[in-house]
Amino acid sequence: MSPQPPIGGLELLGTDGWRRDMAGTRRHGGGRGRPTLEEVAARAGVGRGTVSRVINGSPRVSDRTRTAVEQAVAELGYVPNRVARALAANRADAVALVIPEPETRLFAEPYFSDIIRGVGAELAETDLQLLLTLIRTPKERQRLADYLSAHRVDGVLLVSVHADDPLPDLLEQIEMPAVLSGRRSAHESVPYVDSDNTGGAQSAVEHLIGRGRSTVATITGPLDMYVAQCRLAGYRAAVRAAGREVDPELVAAADFTEEGGRRAMRRLLDQRPDVDGVFAASDVMAAGARQVLRENGRRVPDDVALVGFEDSAVARHMDPPLTSVRQGTEEMGRAMVRVLLEEIEGPSDRTSKRPQLVLPTQLVRRASS
């Protein structure tokens, strides 16, 4: 019998196909003694098919009969067998949230928790189960590909997409409804929800230049990710708009982690000790840069003004509080679910224009700049 997860909960989907709760416990079928559809029918004095129609929201039932069935359901504590209902409708009643990153990033970076919070909140209004899976190795990727190819979920939300990630193409090939958080390139074919990364980065650097900073550097994300490329493009646009040349020594690539921010900041100080402004492409990297600046006796913002991106809890709790570009990560998660539900319920014509949303950003000024 297929695993029977609790309605509305968040579970980890292991690459072996088992569903686990957040404590890591494997779930199996429900316990014995649960009320059956036949018992509900007997209590309500109707046939089994009538009970099924009521549970599935069919309009072909009188109000009196519907009330009797609903009362029997309440009295017996009957819980519909979601697996049976899904099979009958050729549906899995579940969507997968796939994050191709290790646990260290999932639990260390507010971006992922905010996405999960938004996704969970939006799905709470439905009867769909949310399955969370991480991909850390090629073997796990293949296991997930096999799981998805069997259509054991109704749709996929894919977060943290790298340019060479084969999953989006696989999802298209198997005609699995999917929505990406971000894009692989400017020509993305899969539906996505993104932020105005270029515009947000440009506003951050324009702010630093407007504050009188003459040597403004940037710490980028991994440049095999389109989000990092866009934020770098915004930096370059602001520098050129100010009539300055883009100096390669003022660009340090990192990986959206705190340690990456530390390494990049050390490299910038070695190459350009006169740096007086830094735009970090994430708040977490800005936190790493802030540590290195302090270790080197550089005051923020007196000696070096600092700006991040995301406006996460990290930004608000830094000392001094970090100026950051707000991108509404939780709303991105909610929007991804709305787009995915449209894809699941909508026509399967893949030749029509796919949903592509770009949400606005806003610079939030704080003491670090």
Side-chain angles (χ1 to χ4, degrees):
M1 184 174 179
S2 299
Q4 180 70 29
I7 296 176
L10 170 63
E11 295 179 307
L12 287 168
L13 172 60
T15 53
D16 57 0
W18 277 87
R19 292 169 176 172
R20 293 171 169 79
D21 60 24
M22 293 302 287
T25 304
R26 295 211 309 184
R27 293 193 179 274
H28 50 77
R32 298 178 180 177
R34 57 188 296 171
T36 66
L37 199 69
E38 289 77 9
E39 290 171 334
V40 173
R43 174 67 67 94
V46 298
R48 186 180 188 280
T50 300
V51 174
S52 180
R53 284 193 291 274
V54 171
I55 290 172
N56 287 285
S58 172
R60 297 187 296 115
V61 180
S62 69
D63 291 342
R64 180 177 180 181
T65 299
R66 187 182 306 279
T67 299
V69 171
E70 290 174 347
Q71 182 175 346
V73 166
E75 290 173 353
L76 293 173
Y78 174 74
V79 177
N81 187 326
R82 290 167 52 88
V83 174
R85 288 172 56 195
L87 287 173
N90 196 27
R91 293 274 292 270
D93 273 355
V95 298
L97 174 58
V98 179
I99 303 178
E101 302 288 355
E103 296 97 328
T104 51
R105 287 201 63 190
L106 175 67
F107 295 111
E109 298 182 28
Y111 173 81
F112 296 112
S113 60
D114 288 346
I115 284 282
I116 293 171
R117 186 179 300 111
V119 167
E122 194 70 22
L123 276 177
E125 304 301 318
T126 75
D127 63 353
L128 292 172
Q129 183 71 16
L130 175 60
L131 308 178
L132 172 64
T133 185
L134 309 182
I135 303 175
R136 294 150 294 192
T137 66
K139 186 176 182 180
E140 290 181 341
R141 187 181 300 276
Q142 184 57 52
R143 285 178 176 171
L144 177 65
D146 294 341
Y147 187 90
L148 297 178
S149 295
H151 284 262
R152 296 173 69 181
V153 295
D154 296 315
V156 174
L157 303 165
L158 183 56
V159 179
S160 191
V161 184
H162 294 255
D164 60 350
D165 194 328
L167 275 177
D169 291 333
L170 169 69
L171 295 170
E172 284 200 299
Q173 290 169 12
I174 65 176
E175 297 187 345
M176 171 69 72
V179 179
L180 310 183
S181 171
R183 292 170 269 176
R184 291 171 293 173
S185 74
H187 309 291
E188 182 59 71
S189 58
V190 178
Y192 63 78
V193 176
D194 205 352
S195 292
D196 181 10
N197 292 295
T198 302
Q202 185 168 348
S203 68
V205 178
E206 287 173 347
H207 168 71
L208 288 169
I209 293 173
R211 299 289 289 174
R213 304 297 163 157
S214 59
T215 309
V216 179
T218 185
I219 298 173
T220 78
L223 294 176
D224 67 334
M225 298 182 72
Y226 189 61
V227 57
Q229 297 170 24
C230 288
R231 292 177 188 178
L232 177 57
Y235 164 82
R236 288 170 170 163
V239 170
R240 289 173 179 143
R244 304 178 184 180
E245 293 292 326
V246 176
D247 185 346
E249 290 190 341
L250 291 174
V251 178
D255 57 3
F256 284 139
T257 68
E258 187 172 352
E259 179 54 35
R262 284 193 286 265
R263 289 195 301 267
M265 193 68 245
R266 293 189 192 102
R267 189 158 63 252
L268 287 171
L269 290 177
D270 289 341
Q271 293 173 169
R272 293 298 302 268
D274 59 331
V275 63
D276 61 359
V278 175
F279 164 58
S282 78
D283 293 344
V284 172
M285 292 194 299
R290 175 69 183 89
Q291 288 182 328
V292 171
L293 289 169
R294 176 172 289 174
E295 291 166 2
N296 284 268
R298 306 293 182 96
R299 297 168 298 169
V300 176
D302 304 70
D303 302 319
V304 180
L306 185 61
V307 178
F309 202 113
E310 284 170 22
D311 191 36
S312 64
V314 171
R316 297 187 292 275
H317 296 153
M318 278 179 60
D319 180 22
L322 180 69
T323 295
S324 185
V325 178
R326 177 176 296 163
Q327 68 170 353
T329 309
E330 187 170 333
E331 174 54 30
M332 286 180 66
R334 285 181 171 272
M336 288 174 68
V337 171
R338 292 195 291 268
V339 172
L340 183 63
L341 293 179
E342 292 176 3
E343 287 289 286
I344 291 172
E345 299 295 342
S348 59
D349 179 13
R350 297 307 188 201
T351 63
S352 60
K353 183 173 176 58
R354 316 303 300 283
Q356 298 177 341
L357 301 181
V358 178
L359 304 182
T361 56
Q362 176 187 8
L363 184 69
V364 180
R365 295 170 175 83
R366 297 191 180 93
S368 70
S369 61

